[in-house]
Amino acid sequence: LADTSYEFGEACPDKGVAVLSTLRFAEGTTTTTDASRGVNENQEKVLLLRRTLKILAHEMGHLFHLKHCIFYQCVMNGWAHLDEMDESPLHLCPICLRKLHHGLVPLLLVVQQG
């Protein structure tokens, strides 16, 4: 994670492991600080949870061999800073959802046959 300034997580699909970090959520690392947006303590907790879930969903997508999405607003979009993350949804776009489905169906068939 040290080689990029705004890395939020890393996944290694071949090994089935991923790591995420909330380090970038610390004060002073955003381009538009949460305090300047008037975020109160309750909103801050919700924002922290939402950001963490986005990173988790994004890295899980990488574990299923999904690449960064360039087609729609999608949880698999790449993020250069927190503002971009905050603007992205917590769901897959139709293209990435189809890619996930296409990758999972063969696995499910193997499990059913086993």
Side-chain angles (χ1 to χ4, degrees), residues 29-50:
T29 59
T30 62
T31 56
T32 304
T33 63
D34 298 329
S36 70
R37 295 186 210 178
V39 176
N40 67 34
E41 189 176 334
N42 239 6
Q43 291 170 323
E44 188 177 321
K45 289 178 183 177
V46 170
L47 185 60
L48 175 64
L49 177 61
R50 187 166 179 79

Side-chain angles (χ1 to χ4, degrees), residues 4-98:
T4 46
S5 59
Y6 279 97
E7 190 80 35
F8 297 104
E10 187 71 33
C12 185
D14 297 332
K15 295 185 180 185
V17 297
V19 63
L20 65 90
S21 173
T22 58
L23 175 68
R24 302 295 177 201
F25 300 167
E27 189 175 12
T29 59
T30 62
T31 56
T32 304
T33 63
D34 298 329
S36 70
R37 295 186 210 178
V39 176
N40 67 34
E41 189 176 334
N42 239 6
Q43 291 170 323
E44 188 177 321
K45 289 178 183 177
V46 170
L47 185 60
L48 175 64
L49 177 61
R50 187 166 179 79
R51 286 173 173 172
T52 304
L53 290 173
K54 283 183 184 184
I55 297 171
L56 177 63
H58 182 91
E59 297 308 327
M60 289 293 293
H62 285 314
L63 288 178
F64 288 107
H65 300 276
L66 294 179
K67 305 290 185 212
H68 286 155
C69 181
I70 58 169
F71 301 104
Y72 296 103
Q73 288 291 325
C74 178
V75 76
M76 290 309 297
N77 292 138
W79 306 310
H81 49 78
L82 286 174
D83 289 338
E84 286 183 346
M85 179 194 293
D86 291 341
E87 293 171 5
S88 72
L90 187 53
H91 60 270
L92 294 171
C93 72
I95 292 174
C96 290
L97 191 59
R98 183 64 175 171

